[in-house]
Each structure stands twice: as structure tokens, then as C-alpha cells.
Amino acid sequence: MAAEGKAIDALGQFELATVLGPIGGAVGFTNSNLFMVIAAGIILALMTYGMRARAVVPGRLQNMAEAAYEFIHGMVTDQVGDEGRRFFPFVFTLFMFVLVGNMLGLFPYAFTFTSHIAVTFGLAAIVFVLITVVALSIHGKKFFGYFFPEGAPLWLAPIIVPVEIVSYLSRPVSLSIRLFANMVAGHVMLKVFATFVVMLAGLGAVGPFLSIMPLALNIALVGFEVLVAFLQAYVFAILTCIYLHDAVHLH
Amino acid sequence: MTDRNSFDRRLREARAKQGLDKPQYGQGQLPGGNWGIGFRAGVEVVSALVVGVGLGFLLDRWLGTWPWLFLLFFVVGAAAGVLNVYRLFTPRRGADKS
């Protein structure tokens, strides 16, 4: 499939296609949407099934659910402070959605919905709107003082204010580009080396032996991708927390 | 009868000796090796430039002043990118303060 016509088709894996036959085609339900629904289902199943036992000594699933909960709860309270607890459900949902999306993408035949800038920018835009609304509702007009640091000479305002505004507006962009670029780069690398395996294997008698090299590399890459998948979800969540801290405390 | 606090203390010492305590990433310090930090800095600059250029372009189309605002906001975007990178490397104030 990938090695068709001796060309490496590394980007084909990101193409959208409608699923679920004519029904999905009619409403534009793509494989990306399908995996979003699956991710949401997995998170729901983990939290409800895992916590059903409510054992004092947690089992495996309960341990996983509790670990995820405690991890994000600690992050939110550390970064935002006690006022940040009301944002915990939001950050937890965001983290789990990104994490499960990244992890699901590593399975064969799965689609990585976090590899589309539309999806990551959508998530980042939600974060951006939230932090702006929170800052405005808590601080009112004082929020606009954020764009001009106290104590700076007034004649510098025409320079500082546009720079600060652009810097503020660049937050959702950098948030989304980071996640999107990491996922795309990882999956392209995996695909390229997987194609090398197939191409080299068809190279006559020595082929199968040569193809062990990219295969070994790919195995290492999969491990690395698991790390990246977790790390990017973590970075997304912690940056959301940092921005929420800025919104709540306004520096 | 040993005091109960000594267990915590000894556990902490043992954990520190075995290197089990992970470094704290608090205060907004993000993990990542040289590559991670370099990538983050690059993303910050690029995104600020994208926003600056996009803003300048849109304002130009609206006001019909092509290419002056585009050029101005290109510089502003570059400055914002440098500011973002500067913020990346300056230690942040924690949640407890301010």
C-alpha cells in the first residue's frame, strides 16, 4: 500500500475519508470523527468501569483512573492554585482526550485525529476563549493592563502594546502547532521507515537481511512515539494550566 | 518505641539515594532535552510570526494599505516571537505568589 510504485506515500495516512457507509457519507462523518468518538468512549469506560469497584486497594483499572485523576489534579492545583480547582474538569477532559487520541493513533489502521491542525487548533481555540473570558470576568477592565506592563515608560506603549497583543494571540497558534507538528512528524517517520522495510525486503536475496535495520529503527521509534504521545498531552495540559494561572492572577 | 516521623524521614532519604524522586517540573518548567527546548523556541517564534503576518495582511486588506501594515506587523510579530522565547527562558512566578 505504502510502497506502491516505488514511491513513499507518507502523507496518505492523514487523509480523511467518510466511514459508516452511506450514512456517514451523508453527514460527513469521517474516520477522524470516528476515532474521536472511540477516544471519548475509552475515557468514559475507563472512568466508569475503573471506578465502579471503589475499592480501598485499587485494582488495575481503578489505579489507572486514579493515577490520571491525581496527576491532573496535582498539576492544576500546583500551577493555578486553589482557585484553579474549578478548571479541573476542563483540563482533565482536554488532557485525556489528547492523550487517548495520541495513543490511539499508534495502533495499526487507526487514525490520529491530533495530527490535523483543524482539530488541535480547535482545542487550542477553546482554551484561548476560556482564558480570555475567565480573565475578563475576574478582572474586568484591568485585564487590558495585561498588555502593558506596569512601570514601563509611557512613550514605549505604541511598541509594547502591539507586541504584547500579538504575543497573546500567538498562544493558541503555538499550542496547536506544537501538538500537530509532533504527531505528524512522528507518524511520517514511522511510515517512511515502514516503507523502507517493505522496499528493502523486495531487493532479492540480501533484502530481508537489510530490511532488519529499518525494522529495528521502527521498533525504537514506536517506543519513542509512545513517549511523545504522552509528553505532548502533558505539555498541552500544563500550558493550559499556565495560561489559566495568568488569567486568574494576571501576573 | 521509635517515633513515627522517623519512617518518613528514612523513606525520603532512601528514595533520594536511589534517585526515585523525580525532579519537580513545577513553576511552569517544562520537561524536555535540548531538542525539546529548541523545538519549543522555534514553535514560539513561528507562531508569533504567523499571527503578526496574518494580522497585518488582514488589516491591509481591510484598510487597503498594502503592504505597509503587513511590513509593520511582520516586525511586530518578530518582536513578539523574541518576547515569547524570552518568556520561555525566564523563570515564572509560582502560583502561590502574586
Side-chain angles (χ1 to χ4, degrees), chain A residues 25-227:
Chain A
V27 295
F29 190 80
T30 59
N31 42 5
S32 177
N33 298 125
L34 177 69
F35 277 94
M36 285 182 205
V37 173
I38 292 174
I42 287 174
I43 297 164
L44 273 179
L46 174 69
M47 296 322 280
T48 48
Y49 261 121
M51 295 312 292
R52 203 159 56 172
R54 290 174 204 279
V56 177
V57 179
R60 277 174 231 162
L61 271 182
Q62 191 184 341
N63 206 348
M64 235 166 105
E66 283 183 1
Y69 184 98
E70 297 266 314
F71 181 63
I72 299 299
H73 190 261
M75 182 197 288
V76 172
T77 47
D78 277 0
Q79 296 292 334
V80 193
D82 279 338
E83 306 94 319
R85 239 172 244 162
R86 69 180 100 158
F87 303 114
F88 167 74
F90 173 70
V91 180
F92 185 71
T93 313
L94 207 59
F95 172 76
M96 290 305 273
F97 189 62
V98 173
L99 177 67
V100 174
N102 290 352
M103 290 290 185
L104 268 181
L106 291 172
F107 285 96
Y109 299 106
F111 184 85
T112 328
F113 59 78
T114 45
S115 67
H116 275 212
I117 189 90
V119 175
T120 58
F121 190 76
L123 293 173
I126 296 171
V127 172
F128 182 73
V129 170
L130 178 84
I131 58 169
T132 311
V133 167
V134 164
L136 274 173
S137 68
I138 293 180
H139 300 285
K141 274 197 208 115
K142 264 192 280 171
F143 164 71
F144 296 105
Y146 181 81
F147 297 117
F148 189 70
E150 286 168 44
L154 203 63
W155 59 270
L156 274 176
I159 303 170
I160 291 179
V161 172
V163 168
E164 288 280 357
I165 288 175
V166 168
S167 170
Y168 188 73
L169 289 176
S170 77
R171 281 172 169 191
V173 178
S174 70
L175 198 60
S176 53
I177 286 180
R178 191 174 303 117
L179 176 60
F180 146 82
N182 270 286
M183 297 323 288
V184 168
H187 281 81
V188 165
M189 277 207 296
L190 281 178
K191 191 70 159 207
V192 165
F193 285 111
T195 312
F196 282 167
V197 175
V198 179
M199 280 173 151
L200 283 174
L203 217 66
V206 286
F209 299 100
L210 281 177
S211 69
I212 285 175
M213 283 185 295
L215 183 65
L217 202 66
N218 232 355
I219 291 168
L221 266 181
V222 168
F224 182 67
E225 281 308 305
V226 173
L227 176 78

